[in-house]
Amino acid sequence: MQTDRAIVTLTSEAKTYLQSVAEEGKHISLGVKSGGCSGFEYVWSNAEDYPDVHWSDPIDDILVVDPLAELYIGGSEIDYIKELGGSYLTIRNPMQSSSCGCGSSFGV
C-alpha cells in the first residue's frame, strides 16, 4: 500500500543516478547500521541481495528503505552532487544531530 508521503524524497539528480546504477527492474536499498565515528552509518545496496527484509514501498520506483531505518532517516532528502573532486550521494537528514567528515556516518 502506497502512502501519501514518502519516507524520504529524492531529487531528480539522485533518482537519475540511482536508476543508472540499478540493475534492470531492481531496486536500490537504503538502511542504517550502528557504527562509524558518529554512531550510525548509511548502508546502500541492491534490495534483492536481502530477500528476507520487508522493504518499504518503492520511492520513485527505484529506492526502497529498511523499515528499521525509517526511525533514523524519516523526512530526509537524498541528492546526488557533482563537483570537481568527484560525485556522491548525500542525505539531508533532519534528525541528524552530528556527522563526520566522510559523510556516511551520523548521530541522532
Side-chain angles (χ1 to χ4, degrees):
M1 179 169 124
Q2 187 74 15
T3 59
D4 292 330
R5 216 174 143 181
I7 301 157
V8 299
T9 57
L10 298 173
T11 64
S12 60
E13 292 82 4
K15 180 179 177 180
T16 299
Y17 173 73
L18 292 175
Q19 289 171 329
S20 75
V21 297
E23 294 179 35
E24 182 71 32
K26 296 191 177 184
H27 297 100
I28 299 295
S29 64
L30 175 58
V32 171
K33 71 176 184 175
S34 63
C37 46
S38 295
F40 295 99
E41 292 180 277
Y42 298 111
V43 180
W44 296 94
S45 190
N46 294 306
E48 289 73 17
D49 292 345
Y50 301 94
D52 296 334
V53 176
H54 298 293
W55 301 105
S56 70
D57 289 333
I59 299 165
D60 287 341
D61 296 321
I62 189 63
L63 179 70
V64 292
V65 176
D66 182 337
L68 296 175
E70 292 179 28
L71 298 170
Y72 303 103
I73 64 171
S76 294
E77 178 186 62
I78 300 170
D79 195 7
Y80 183 65
I81 307 295
K82 294 179 190 175
E83 296 179 333
L84 183 60
S87 58
Y88 55 93
L89 286 167
T90 186
I91 300 176
R92 293 181 193 102
N93 185 341
M95 292 188 234
Q96 178 178 308
S97 62
S98 62
S99 65
C100 67
C102 69
S104 65
S105 179
F106 69 101
V108 290

